[in-house]
């Protein structure tokens, strides 16, 4: 009996070791050594290829007259400490290049200079970036949401900063423009005229409309009457919800 029990546990451990990880179903891409970190979601390899890590949005740096976003320096340093000088393997789960010819990828360290790290996930876990999902690169993004919830709950990294506390939609300044997470109570649904939009969701006591795109069409019927956490780019009092992962049903909003 003892021998049988030992055999069972050996098989269990082997199965766990061989369990598929979030990146296993993606297409392997290039390898390269990181020679530069642009910010918390963009790195440059020794091949000259710039890489935009998908599924995350780190605070951006200054550009021309635009000031750096809060926590930009800390986020960039966080990425540098993890990966500068290390070799990474890229993984693709959809569109592979953006209009700037940056690789759109998940990246994982693969050398012996430190622990094996899934960079996209590590930046979220450490509070260096927020989750932002695009339909054409959404593969393997779902686990990032749980990592972000944990980081928010522990006020890790940028979640300690007042600028990244999640407001109610009614409390957004007017005008507001940029990527944002907001809480709100969905009170109504209307048709939408925007390109690729299937409906607009109205939020209680707020001018902000959630413009639901085709990839998240089921929300048009599911969301009214619920408290939600929505994430997306706000412009002209509209937030585009391009994927269902950018929308969560919540009971008691936190942070």
């Amino acid at each position: 009996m003892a021998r049988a029990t030992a055999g069972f546990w050996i098989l269990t451990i082997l199965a766990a070791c061989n369990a598929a990880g979030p990146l296993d179903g993606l297409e392997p891409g290039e390898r390269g050594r990181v020679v530069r970190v642009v910010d918390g979601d963009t790195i440059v390899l020794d091949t000259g290829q710039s890489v935009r890590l998908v599924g995350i949005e780190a605070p951006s740096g200054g550009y021309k007259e635009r000031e750096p976003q809060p926590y930009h320096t800390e986020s960039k340093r966080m990425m540098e400490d993890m990966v500068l000088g290390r070799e990474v393997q890229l993984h693709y789960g959809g569109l592979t290049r953006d209009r700037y010819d940056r690789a759109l990828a998940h990246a994982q360290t693969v050398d012996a200079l430190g622990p094996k790290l899934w960079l996209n996930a590590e930046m979220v876990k450490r509070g260096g970036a927020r989750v932002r999902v695009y339909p054409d690169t959404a593969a393997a993004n779902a686990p990032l949401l749980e990592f972000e919830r944990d980081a928010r709950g522990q006020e890790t990294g940028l979640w300690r900063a007042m600028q990244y506390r999640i407001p109610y939609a009614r409390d957004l300044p007017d005008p507001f423009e940029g990527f944002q997470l907001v809480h709100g109570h969905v009170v109504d649904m209307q048709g939408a005229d925007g390109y690729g939009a299937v409906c607009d969701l109205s939020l209680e006591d707020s001018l902000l409309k959630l413009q639901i795109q085709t990839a998240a069409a089921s929300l048009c019927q599911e969301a009214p009457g619920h408290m939600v956490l929505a994430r997306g780019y706000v412009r002209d009092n509209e937030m585009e919800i391009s994927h269902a992962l950018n929308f969560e049903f919540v009971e008691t909003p936190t942070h």
Side-chain angles (χ1 to χ4, degrees):
M1 178 65 71
R3 183 176 300 173
T5 302
F8 169 79
W9 283 113
I10 290 172
L11 291 174
T12 300
I13 293 170
L14 289 174
C17 292
N18 294 324
L23 305 184
D24 289 350
L26 305 186
E27 184 70 25
E30 305 93 315
R31 285 193 180 204
R33 194 166 303 282
V34 178
V35 295
R36 181 183 169 215
V37 171
V38 178
D39 53 33
D41 55 29
T42 307
I43 58 180
V44 182
L45 307 183
D46 57 359
T47 61
Q49 180 64 57
S50 293
V51 183
R52 176 63 165 85
L53 301 181
V54 299
I56 67 174
E57 182 81 9
S60 63
Y63 178 72
K64 294 184 178 180
E65 298 179 358
R66 186 182 67 190
E67 293 292 321
Q69 292 181 327
Y71 211 77
H72 166 260
T73 300
E74 295 89 339
S75 175
K76 179 180 178 180
R77 187 177 299 123
M78 190 181 295
M79 179 65 80
E80 289 174 339
D81 290 345
M82 281 195 294
V83 79
L84 196 58
R86 297 195 62 184
E87 186 177 5
V88 297
Q89 167 77 58
L90 303 187
H91 299 269
Y92 295 115
L95 187 68
T96 62
R97 294 292 187 274
D98 66 10
R99 58 179 176 168
Y100 306 110
D101 199 38
R102 297 180 299 184
L104 300 174
H106 293 271
Q108 193 171 46
T109 55
V110 290
D111 57 28
L113 297 178
K116 190 172 186 178
L117 300 173
W118 172 16
L119 298 179
N120 312 54
E122 286 298 322
M123 287 302 292
V124 175
K125 290 178 180 179
R126 301 180 187 203
R130 296 173 288 176
V131 177
R132 185 177 184 181
V133 181
Y134 290 91
D136 45 14
T137 55
N141 284 189
L144 302 178
L145 290 169
E146 186 62 35
F147 300 147
E148 185 191 86
R149 279 191 285 271
D150 290 343
R152 287 203 315 264
Q154 298 172 29
E155 296 189 359
T156 302
L158 60 78
W159 299 109
R160 291 194 297 269
M162 287 299 299
Q163 296 92 331
Y164 293 106
R165 293 298 177 98
I166 303 175
Y168 282 94
R170 62 173 178 261
D171 297 329
L172 272 181
D174 186 19
F176 176 86
E177 183 168 303
F179 179 70
Q180 179 67 51
L181 280 67
V182 298
H183 285 120
H185 183 254
V186 180
V187 293
D188 195 14
M189 183 269 287
Q190 309 91 30
D193 297 326
Y195 177 76
V198 292
C199 76
D200 284 340
L201 299 178
S202 298
L203 300 174
E204 187 175 31
D205 299 327
S206 176
L207 296 176
L208 183 68
K209 301 283 188 181
L210 305 182
Q211 189 178 81
I212 307 299
Q213 303 291 298
T214 303
S218 63
L219 298 175
C220 293
Q221 302 301 324
E222 297 172 0
H226 292 277
M227 179 65 70
V228 302
L229 169 60
R231 67 184 73 221
Y233 196 90
V234 178
R235 181 185 292 111
D236 297 329
N237 283 323
E238 289 188 337
M239 174 186 282
E240 182 180 289
I241 305 297
S242 59
H243 193 278
L245 289 177
N246 290 323
F247 195 95
E248 303 172 57
F249 294 95
V250 297
E251 294 181 4
T252 303
T254 57
H255 304 292

